[in-house]
Amino acid sequence: QMTLSEKVDQFLDTQFFDPEVYATSNDASNDGADNSAQTKKGLMFWFANLVQNDYELAETLYAGTFLAIMVIISQELVRWSLYGDNYVPFTPGGRSGGGLW
């Protein structure tokens, strides 16, 4: 049996994004075959190629996106705590038309 600490370590060590899974070779995309699998991947395919070709930029984009989402969630939580029952998500000032954001 694993201890809780070992389970947490194993979870944190688990790779959740593998660019090798999403990236395809250039030969497969240029041979005229069905590229529907490539187009279905969309953003993940693009990000996997970015990770392989320019890791620093991919890391910056990931961190920036993560921080932007966390700031938006934090703002909404503050608005929720201020307006209580009058809170309307993602609308400026809540129902009362106050001046916060």
Side-chain angles (χ1 to χ4, degrees):
Q1 288 253 353
M2 294 173 51
T3 65
L4 179 61
S5 177
E6 290 171 340
K7 288 180 182 178
V8 169
D9 286 341
Q10 182 182 8
F11 173 74
L12 293 176
D13 289 338
T14 304
Q15 185 176 5
F16 67 91
F17 177 74
D18 185 9
E20 296 294 326
V21 171
Y22 294 99
T24 59
S25 67
N26 290 334
D27 297 335
S29 63
N30 291 334
D31 64 359
D34 182 24
N35 289 333
S36 61
Q38 178 181 340
T39 56
K40 286 180 186 176
K41 294 177 186 174
L43 185 62
M44 295 300 279
F45 176 76
W46 174 81
F47 192 71
N49 282 333
L50 187 63
V51 167
Q52 290 177 338
N53 296 326
D54 191 356
Y55 184 79
E56 291 79 16
L57 179 60
E59 187 175 35
T60 302
L61 289 175
Y62 178 80
T65 303
F66 179 79
L67 288 175
I69 291 170
M70 291 296 110
V71 165
I72 291 169
I73 290 172
S74 299
Q75 287 177 342
E76 291 302 311
L77 289 173
V78 167
R79 289 181 62 239
W80 182 34
S81 68
L82 288 175
Y83 294 117
D85 290 337
N86 291 328
Y87 170 67
V88 179
F90 304 107
T91 57
R95 268 190 220 148
S96 63
L100 185 61
W101 294 300

